[in-house]
Amino acid sequence: MAVKRIVLNIAADRLSDAQAFYGDLLGMEIVMDQGWIMTFASDGVARPQVSIACEGGSGTPVPDISIEVDHVDEVYRRARAGALEIPYELTDEPWGVRRFYVRDPFGKLVNILSHAG
């Protein structure tokens, strides 16, 4: 038996608000729209993961979602330009990631990161 996929579900009354954040900010595309559910995806291939944490690292709260991107600085610039709430500024962490936290339109705390390379 193998887990093939893990899907994050976010309850929301305004599905249209998802496009600006997950589509425009993060560059994900809508792969399913049934009117009552929209699913965004990226072309990247990743193994299914679930993280269990008592803090988010560096004394931050545990984020609801972590999204790895190839250019975190570019996403940070877009988030700033869009006047999004950024509760944790762009930071180089001691465990080898560069990241920031941003709130999505539904109040979820999103950890946007790139691995140092």
Side-chain angles (χ1 to χ4, degrees), residues 7-34:
V7 176
L8 173 71
N9 296 303
I10 298 173
D13 294 331
R14 302 169 326 276
L15 297 181
S16 59
D17 290 352
Q19 177 60 47
F21 190 87
Y22 293 97
D24 300 340
L25 178 68
L26 294 172
M28 299 177 79
E29 65 178 283
I30 296 173
V31 295
M32 180 179 70
D33 185 351
Q34 298 294 325

Side-chain angles (χ1 to χ4, degrees), residues 2-111:
V3 174
K4 295 176 71 175
R5 181 171 62 148
I6 295 173
V7 176
L8 173 71
N9 296 303
I10 298 173
D13 294 331
R14 302 169 326 276
L15 297 181
S16 59
D17 290 352
Q19 177 60 47
F21 190 87
Y22 293 97
D24 300 340
L25 178 68
L26 294 172
M28 299 177 79
E29 65 178 283
I30 296 173
V31 295
M32 180 179 70
D33 185 351
Q34 298 294 325
W36 56 272
I37 185 172
M38 294 173 74
T39 300
F40 291 82
S42 176
D43 288 337
V45 176
R47 296 185 331 204
Q49 295 180 324
V50 174
S51 295
I52 312 300
C54 62
E55 71 159 275
S58 295
T60 65
V62 176
D64 295 299
I65 309 165
S66 290
I67 300 175
E68 183 179 355
V69 298
D70 53 359
H71 299 290
V72 70
D73 290 80
E74 175 59 29
V75 178
Y76 178 77
R77 279 191 290 278
R78 284 193 238 157
R80 274 274 185 236
L84 296 175
E85 179 187 348
I86 299 176
Y88 187 67
E89 291 294 328
L90 189 60
T91 303
D92 291 315
E93 299 289 5
W95 56 89
V97 300
R98 183 167 173 79
R99 70 177 182 156
F100 70 99
Y101 285 1
V102 61
R103 288 245 178 241
D104 81 357
F106 315 108
K108 299 301 180 190
L109 187 60
V110 182
N111 174 31

